[in-house]
Amino acid sequence: MKTKCKAMTLVELICVIAIVAVLITIGVMGMKGVRRFKAERQIHTMAGELSDLRKRAMMTRKQMRMNIRDDSYAIICDEKEKVISYEKDLELVDMNTAQKHRDFAFSPSGRPSNSGTATFRVGKNTFHLIVAPVSGRIRMERVNEEN
């Protein structure tokens, strides 16, 4: 009686390796998109936190500010500082404010005592986080998208 040895052929083995390589590539590329999405969401979060700081300044009648750093930003309320690091793909490009300080500050009346623009880059996209000088309006703008 003959016994057959069940094993994979070389062609089957190569096909399995190719399929695994394709799946790993798709997973890695997907993670890159997730990191960029998280970095863009952080800019939106910063805009929301600035708006919240402005409202808190008016409610508590105290000055509130957000300090923009190269690798993080800090929210400063009542001498308490909360530091948040940037996402991996988020990069501060430029900080241009009225008083040449690296922060956005709101007076107790809600008016910005230091207004301006913080420019960030996520991949090939550039974003401006803008605090208007008189009204204190906060907005985020996507500047360009290169392919």
Side-chain angles (χ1 to χ4, degrees), residues 53 63-67 74-81:
L53 279 178
Q63 183 173 6
M64 304 284 174
R65 64 188 173 102
M66 177 186 284
N67 184 272
I75 299 170
I76 302 157
C77 303
D78 300 326
E79 303 302 321
K80 295 178 185 173
E81 185 174 307

Side-chain angles (χ1 to χ4, degrees), residues 101-137:
H101 297 157
R102 294 187 68 138
D103 64 359
F104 294 119
F106 297 98
S107 68
S109 66
R111 298 184 123 207
S113 53
N114 191 23
S115 60
T117 304
T119 305
F120 294 94
R121 183 173 293 125
V122 178
K124 295 179 181 178
N125 298 326
T126 303
F127 296 88
H128 290 313
L129 185 59
I130 303 165
V131 177
V134 176
S135 65
R137 181 175 173 233

